[in-house]
Every structure is written in C-alpha cells, then in structure tokens.
C-alpha cells in the first residue's frame, strides 16, 4: 500500500502543464470527490495496524504535494496568459487617458513659438510688483489719470505693493538689466479689480513684446505684427488705429480683419468685420531713460495682448469664464502637441 502512495507522489511531482484545462483535470483526479486521495483515505481501514502511522504520514505528504503542485501550476499559467494578452497585437488598445494642455497654455505656447522663431527671448517677472515697475517707470507718475485705466489690487500702501496689472512691468525689469539690442516677450498672469463678466475676469494672461535697437521704426513694428498675425491666424490683414498708452508714443490699437461671413462674425465685430487684438506703439523716450537706456541712441517698439482674448477668437469661445472653471468636458476639446 505504502509503495502505491509513493508512486503517486512521484507522479505528482513529475507532473507539469501550462494548460488550465489539464491542470484542472489533474486536480480533480487527485483531490476531487472521487479522486485518488479520497480512495486512499478510504483504504486506511485495510492497512495493518503497525503500518498505519507510516501510511498516514505518506498520505498527508501526497495530499500536500497535490495542493502545492496545483497552486504552483495555476499561478504560472495565469502569468503566462496575461503576458500573452499584452503582446497580442490584434487586441484592442486600452483606452489610455493622457489628458491635454489647457487651451490658454496651448495659445501661449503658440505665441511664444512664433516670436522665438524670429529671435525673441522669453523673460519673466514677479506677479507681486512695486509701484515703480508697474506704473512710474512706464511713464505713469503718481496721480497720473491714466492709472485709472487699470483698476489695481493693492497689497500694501506706502510704499505701494500691488498685483501687477500688466506684463509691461517685465519690460521695465528687462531693460534695467540688459542693454540693446533687446528682443524679448514676457508671458504671464495679470490682475485687475474688475467686475467678472463673460468678457472680463480679475485674473487673466498677457504677452508683452519689446524690441529695442538702433533706428527701430514704426514700419518695423507693423511688419512684425503682420508676421505674427499671419503665423497665428493665417491672416495678415491688419490695421493700426491711433490710441493712447502712457508708455508708448505714438500708440496704436491693432485690429485684424475677421470678415463678415457668418452671423457670429457680425456679432463679435459689431458689424465692422474688424476685431481689436492688441495695443502697441513706439516706446516713449521717458521709459527708455527711466530704465537706463539712452533714447538718443536707441529706439524701440512694444506691444501687449491678452491671451484669453486671442484664445476666444481662435477657438470661438464666447465666455471667458470657461477658461477658469476647469470643467474637463470643456478642456478635453483642445488637443494640441505644443
Ligand atoms: N499694457 C497694456 C495693457 O495692459 C498693453 C500694451 C499696450 C502693452 C501697448 C504695450 C503697448 O507694450 O505698447 O492694456
């Protein structure tokens, strides 16, 4: 009897398979209700008394060997199956959710890309500014009425510390630390104490541009803007309308020709076909002087635009608040590699 058990033990140890069906058949033949193990336990009665102890020990060994074997083979077979599944090229891909960039980041990167291609560097500055960099150096001395053009969040008074109202503050910082030729753009977040509506928001984003060198003219400014609008909108039909900014003289507002093809075009251009996209001008000599650059030797131009406004035009988004609510159903619609 004991020899039979030992034979079974050898067979169990020698058994191997990766086929789940075969493993199951093996398990049932030993550990099933009518399996070998139960048969052997049933024959326990017939074993002579003096052999009972040894027989019992062998039988337990066999039972354990079966359990271990089955477990081991099942684990191997499962691992093999999942490996096969991964390498199966006909399998449907996992729905991998990669996420995407925020539309404002997409537009910002696009603008950066366009200007860096023609030699502009990127400069940044602090969001918490002092009065000098946000106002005074930009030809806006204390009590200048044009300070009211931008409602300001003050953090502290005397000396005034505030949240910058435009990224023009970065052009001051850049000129203070660099001599011409200067070619730089400054993207960043700005803050204004405005009522929140579908077109205005207290926090938004701007890109400021600055070019200072010898004999820079208004024609250079216009050509640069035409290059930019062509690259971004695929349309370089622009017009410059005389305007006023304290830091530029002369100053202009830039309109792009949007067309009047659809009803929306009529609505957003108020029936004119033209849309304002940014402010610009020749840097006021006072500003150059304030920043340590000799206005008799150098001249330059500057421009500034709102990223939200450009994104609203490019993507036909009618409400600025959508950019800040971060509803994934909105954000998911913007796929871009930039
Ligand atoms: N700083 C202006 C604003 O926030 C935008 C601007 C206009 C910037 C004309 C400029 C410029 O550099 O030349 O409204």
């Amino acid at each position: 009897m004991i020899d039979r058990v030992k034979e079974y033990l050898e067979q169990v140890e020698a058994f191997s398979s990766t086929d789940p069906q075969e493993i199951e058949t093996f398990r049932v033949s030993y550990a099933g209700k009518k399996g070998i193990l139960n048969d052997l336990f049933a024959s326990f009665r017939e074993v002579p008394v003096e052999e009972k102890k040894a027989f019992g020990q062998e039988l337990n060994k066999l039972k354990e060997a079966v359990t271990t074997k089955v477990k081991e083979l099942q684990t191997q077979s499962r691992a093999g199956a999942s490996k096969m599944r991964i390498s199966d090229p006909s399998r449907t891909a996992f729905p991998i959710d990669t996420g995407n960039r925020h539309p404002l980041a997409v537009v910002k990167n696009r603008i950066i890309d366009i200007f860096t291609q023609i030699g502009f560097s990127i400069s940044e500055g602090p969001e918490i500014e002092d009065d000098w960099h946000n106002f005074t150096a930009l030809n806006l001395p204390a009590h200048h009425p044009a300070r009211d053009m931008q409602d300001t969040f003050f953090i502290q008074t005397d000396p005034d510390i505030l949240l910058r109202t435009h990224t023009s503050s970065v052009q001051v910082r850049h000129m203070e630390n660099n001599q011409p030729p200067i070619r730089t753009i400054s993207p960043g977040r700005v803050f204004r104490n405005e009522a929140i509506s579908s077109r205005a928001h207290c926090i938004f984003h701007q890109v400021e541009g600055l070019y200072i060198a010898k004999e820079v003219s208004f024609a250079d400014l216009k050509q640069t803007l035409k290059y930019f609008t062509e690259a971004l909108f695929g349309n370089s039909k622009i017009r410059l309308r005389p305007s006023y900014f304290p830091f530029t003289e002369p100053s202009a507002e830039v309109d792009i020709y949007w067309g009047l093809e659809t009803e929306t075009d009529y609505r957003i251009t108020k029936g004119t076909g033209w849309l304002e996209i940014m402010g610009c001008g020749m840097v006021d000599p006072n500003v150059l002087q304030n920043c340590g650059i000799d206005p008799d030797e150098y001249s330059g131009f500057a421009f500034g635009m709102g990223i939200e406004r450009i994104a609203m035009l490019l993507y036909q988004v009618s409400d600025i608040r959508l950019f800040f609510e971060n509803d994934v159903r909105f954000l998911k619609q913007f796929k871009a590699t930039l």
Side-chain angles (χ1 to χ4, degrees), residues 280-303:
C280 68
M282 301 306 291
V283 181
D284 192 300
N286 284 343
V287 175
L288 295 177
Q289 194 125 43
N290 287 342
C291 302
I293 291 174
D294 183 357
D296 293 330
E297 202 177 338
Y298 297 107
S299 58
F301 61 74
F303 53 87

Side-chain angles (χ1 to χ4, degrees), residues 150 165-166 168 171 192 206 208 245 247-248 279-281 302-304:
Q150 304 171 354
T165 57
H166 50 188
S168 303
Q171 70 166 259
R192 288 190 200 172
Q206 285 189 331
E208 171 83 11
F245 297 104
F247 27 88
T248 44
C280 68
F303 53 87

